[in-house]
Amino acid sequence: MATLAIAATDGMLHFELAAACEIFVRDPSGLADPWYDLVVCGPGPVRIGRFLMEPDDGLERLARADTVIIPAIEDVDAEVPAELIDAVRAAHEAGARLVALCTGAFVLAAAGVLDGLRATTHWAHTDVLAARYPRVQVDPDVLYVDNGNVLVSAGKAAAIDLCLHLIRRDHGPTVANAVARRLVVPPHRAGGQAQFVTTPVPARDDHPLADLLPWALQLLDRPLTVEDLARQAKMSSRHLARHFRSATGTTPLQWLATQRIRRAQELLERTDDSIEVVARAAGMGTATTLRRHFSRVVGVPPDAYRRTFRSAGPPHAQERSQ
């Protein structure tokens, strides 16, 4: 039986730690034999958010595990405990598979495990990870990265995706899908899929774009131009571009393109409309144009994106009825 050890130290986030415990504690399909021997390892009683937790074993146990999971840490600017770094290095040297969830990537980076490897973390911290650890090849636009024996994920939902990916690797898609059904989540999202970050709309009512952006969101099916936006905002195109950069961190055209992709995602998830109809409703014009831009931004074609959500539908409905 393969041992799966979850590291637990003060300052970790309870969601990722609890999610890993829930996902790997048992096999709901009854098909995987043997399942994982789950053990939580820590230096002693540890404070996880509002909870005090008593680990099963000490951190030195990580070196004897087949797979080691590092949950997210709350403060990426805090110094990673030396005993955790030493335990992770020992596990790596012993040949363990290392898995970091969300900001747990900072622990692997501090241990030097990610040097020369491709990695990701929550989109809000990718710049910090890249600046602090220049030897790490940080990719801010993916859900998770599988380097074989070292794997890392983006934020909370992506952490679940990576855990399911591990089960799929170890036990196959039938078992992974059974776990996904129990969790009521999509059975598979490819790691190369983009972190779906919605470009923000200014929260202040007095912001120069406060009325413009909601107006534009209602008209995404139309061929809006920068000139159209500037005219509606009653300002020059140059002035508009400055406000857009300040409020959203991007240009008017890039913002429009992002919102159109988001609209397409919503329609693919909620409707049975053809790809051609979705393309027109999202302002992409044709299915060919939608497929090109959708695949570039999201990382998977719209047909595959829809199948991910629809394939999870019937089992979810069945589970709710039981």
Side-chain angles (χ1 to χ4, degrees), residues 212-290:
L212 176 66
L213 300 192
W215 173 83
L217 289 174
Q218 296 298 316
L219 302 173
L220 289 178
D221 59 328
R222 302 185 185 181
L224 294 176
T225 66
V226 174
E227 289 70 25
D228 293 330
L229 296 175
R231 190 180 306 111
Q232 178 67 21
K234 298 180 174 58
M235 62 180 69
S236 69
S237 297
R238 180 176 296 181
H239 198 193
L240 177 73
R242 284 201 298 269
H243 283 301
F244 254 91
R245 179 65 67 179
S246 173
T248 70
T250 188
T251 68
L253 284 180
Q254 288 171 333
W255 182 86
L256 276 174
T258 298
Q259 302 315 310
R260 286 185 165 125
I261 293 295
R262 293 295 299 158
R263 177 64 52 81
Q265 288 175 309
E266 293 170 3
L267 294 172
L268 290 167
E269 294 169 20
R270 294 189 293 103
T271 76
D272 294 317
D273 293 343
S274 68
I275 303 300
E276 194 74 43
V277 170
V278 170
R280 290 197 298 268
M284 295 288 188
T286 68
T288 300
T289 301
L290 173 61

Side-chain angles (χ1 to χ4, degrees), residues 13-277:
L13 293 173
H14 61 272
F15 179 91
E16 287 79 1
L17 193 151
C21 288
E22 176 65 20
I23 290 170
F24 292 108
V25 69
R26 64 184 181 277
D27 168 28
S29 73
L31 299 175
D33 185 21
W35 189 241
Y36 304 97
D37 178 19
L38 178 66
V39 57
V40 178
C41 303
V46 294
R47 176 67 63 178
I48 307 293
R50 292 172 177 262
F51 306 100
L52 188 64
M53 183 178 190
E54 183 70 49
D56 302 313
D57 209 333
L59 287 174
E60 67 278 0
R61 180 72 172 80
L62 299 184
R64 303 196 306 277
D66 299 287
T67 298
V68 173
I69 293 183
I70 311 296
I73 56 175
E74 183 174 11
D75 185 0
V76 298
D77 293 322
E79 186 175 355
V80 179
E83 56 190 340
L84 178 58
I85 291 178
D86 291 342
V88 167
R89 285 173 176 164
H92 184 54
E93 291 169 1
R97 178 174 59 181
L98 302 182
V99 181
L101 305 180
C102 193
T103 50
F106 282 82
V107 176
L108 295 189
V113 172
L114 292 180
D115 286 357
L117 296 180
R118 185 165 159 262
T120 194
T121 189
H122 190 286
W123 61 266
H125 304 293
T126 51
D127 288 347
V128 177
L129 183 66
R132 189 175 301 164
Y133 302 102
R135 293 183 180 179
V136 180
Q137 301 170 20
V138 178
D139 187 341
D141 297 322
V142 295
L143 294 178
Y144 55 86
V145 176
D146 182 345
N147 291 297
N149 225 30
V150 178
L151 304 90
V152 290
S153 81
K156 299 182 184 303
I160 295 176
D161 291 324
L162 180 53
C163 290
L164 291 174
H165 172 72
L166 285 176
I167 295 173
R168 185 172 290 101
R169 266 184 49 173
D170 295 342
H171 300 290
T174 300
V175 176
N177 290 347
V179 176
R181 284 196 295 271
R182 180 168 60 86
L183 298 172
V184 196
V185 298
H188 181 229
R189 290 201 295 170
Q193 207 164 300
Q195 297 187 38
F196 305 131
V197 183
T198 304
T199 305
V201 174
R204 291 182 6 239
D205 292 339
D206 62 343
H207 192 280
L209 303 184
D211 294 328
L212 176 66
L213 300 192
W215 173 83
L217 289 174
Q218 296 298 316
L219 302 173
L220 289 178
D221 59 328
R222 302 185 185 181
L224 294 176
T225 66
V226 174
E227 289 70 25
D228 293 330
L229 296 175
R231 190 180 306 111
Q232 178 67 21
K234 298 180 174 58
M235 62 180 69
S236 69
S237 297
R238 180 176 296 181
H239 198 193
L240 177 73
R242 284 201 298 269
H243 283 301
F244 254 91
R245 179 65 67 179
S246 173
T248 70
T250 188
T251 68
L253 284 180
Q254 288 171 333
W255 182 86
L256 276 174
T258 298
Q259 302 315 310
R260 286 185 165 125
I261 293 295
R262 293 295 299 158
R263 177 64 52 81
Q265 288 175 309
E266 293 170 3
L267 294 172
L268 290 167
E269 294 169 20
R270 294 189 293 103
T271 76
D272 294 317
D273 293 343
S274 68
I275 303 300
E276 194 74 43
V277 170

